[in-house]
Amino acid sequence: MPTSSLAALPIRRLTPRDLAACADLSENRGWPREEHKWGLLLTAGRGYAIDDPDGGLVSACVVTSYGPRERPDLATIGMVLVAERYARQGVGRRLMQHVVTELGATPLTLHATPYGRPLYEELGFKAIGRAEMVRGHFTPGGPEPEAATRAATAEDLPAILRLDEEVFGTDRTHMITRLPAFADQLRVAEEDGQITGYAAAWPNLDNHVVGPLIARDTETAKALIASLAAHTNHVLRTDIDVRHEELLTWVKARGLASTSFNAVMTYGIAELPGDWTRRFAPLTVAAG
């Protein structure tokens, strides 16, 4: 299709009915289909897409906003994809420019692959950090983390939401309340009746993704990961802020290996809100 014709194709909102088309687009670009994750993002966030006149999608992305509905404190952009036959024709830039314009004054963040980072830099995003993806079968070893953990209950949800807002820096109730149904495990760390951390493990093809991972300190984060690993036979995968060097060293000594790095980028703010020292891993890099 000529570039001029591509530029004339309208950008529309995605709906949950587009789940299969989004998974097809992922597969087209060599990504896993990740239908479970797409389902969460399309219901908790807002998707944008350009339809291919020949069927399927030319391009897509998802935005997840946090804080007040009318004036979000932060929005995360993820799953930015362009079909292989339309790559390197300006489609991704056009879609991203549309999203940035529509979100107006809302501060933005995203995790960028080395391939996507140049485009985001052209649009004004700044790299403020890095996340390291690690993956593998967790093998216990060495001293056991001392923090006490247990499965979360419905009664824990208000405390989890308060802790999450404090650490993440804004309210994301609409996302966290979906965790009990979305994740296979949701566990909390507790001391003297107070919740000091929580983590989920959710299914993604042949692995369990650990995220979000929020904890009072590194020892508590270790205990949460170990407790999640003890209740699954699947490979674990997670994306850890590289500033958490001790945790990264610990998981690598227990079977998880580095697979890639993403740049954490922002637009409209110099740093992410909240407390990074207690924020160890996102729910997913697509949604923060």
Side-chain angles (χ1 to χ4, degrees):
M1 181 180 296
T3 302
S4 58
S5 299
L6 270 176
L9 294 176
I11 296 172
R12 68 169 177 90
R13 289 283 183 87
L14 289 167
T15 76
R17 293 189 299 274
D18 293 302
L19 174 61
C22 291
D24 289 344
L25 181 59
S26 291
E27 197 169 51
N28 173 265
R29 291 317 307 257
W31 290 17
R33 291 182 64 84
E34 297 187 306
E35 293 187 17
H36 186 58
K37 182 170 75 174
W38 272 112
L40 174 71
L41 296 172
L42 291 174
T43 53
R46 288 181 296 169
Y48 298 81
I50 299 172
D51 288 311
D52 189 334
D54 295 330
L57 299 176
V58 170
S59 182
C61 72
V62 179
V63 176
T64 310
S65 298
Y66 300 112
R69 183 185 297 270
E70 297 76 17
R71 191 180 178 87
D73 296 318
L74 182 70
T76 300
I77 301 174
M79 308 303 284
V80 182
L81 288 163
V82 177
E84 177 63 35
R85 65 184 289 202
Y86 298 112
R88 296 172 295 280
Q89 296 180 52
V91 177
R93 178 180 290 100
R94 179 182 167 223
L95 184 63
M96 283 293 299
Q97 286 173 330
H98 174 88
V99 170
V100 169
T101 299
E102 182 158 301
L103 291 170
T106 302
L108 309 177
T109 185
L110 54 79
H111 281 66
T113 65
Y115 176 80
R117 180 171 171 172
L119 167 61
Y120 304 131
E121 289 177 334
E122 287 179 21
L123 294 172
F125 285 80
K126 306 293 185 183
I128 63 163
R130 288 200 307 165
E132 183 174 0
M133 180 187 290
V134 290
R135 188 180 189 279
H137 281 288
F138 182 90
T139 303
E144 290 293 320
E146 295 183 0
T149 66
R150 60 172 174 80
T153 68
E155 288 72 25
D156 294 320
L157 191 55
I160 289 173
L161 288 170
R162 286 193 297 272
L163 176 63
D164 187 81
E165 183 172 357
E166 179 183 332
V167 175
F168 190 74
T170 188
D171 177 60
R172 52 176 180 171
T173 296
H174 70 296
M175 181 64 81
I176 302 305
T177 52
R178 287 176 162 87
L179 280 178
F182 178 70
D184 284 348
Q185 295 187 63
L186 180 60
R187 300 185 67 83
V188 296
E190 188 176 44
E191 183 176 303
D192 298 328
Q194 298 294 313
I195 290 177
T196 59
Y198 83 96
W202 49 272
N204 191 42
L205 306 173
D206 65 342
N207 60 75
H208 269 141
V209 177
V210 175
L213 174 56
I214 283 177
R216 176 178 61 186
D217 50 35
T218 302
E219 285 303 307
T220 304
K222 291 177 183 178
L224 285 164
I225 291 175
S227 66
L228 292 170
H231 292 84
T232 181
N233 293 320
H234 289 291
V235 165
L236 293 186
R237 177 167 67 85
T238 191
D239 296 85
I240 298 175
D241 186 320
V242 297
R243 291 173 290 187
H244 291 295
E245 296 178 6
E246 182 182 347
L247 184 63
L248 280 165
T249 299
W250 183 81
V251 296
K252 290 173 184 177
R254 283 154 184 80
L256 277 65
S258 178
T259 62
S260 62
F261 290 87
N262 284 331
V264 180
M265 307 188 78
T266 58
Y267 180 96
I269 48 172
E271 295 291 339
L272 291 173
D275 181 3
W276 76 265
T277 67
R278 292 183 286 165
R279 188 174 57 233
F280 289 84
L283 193 163
T284 163
V285 296

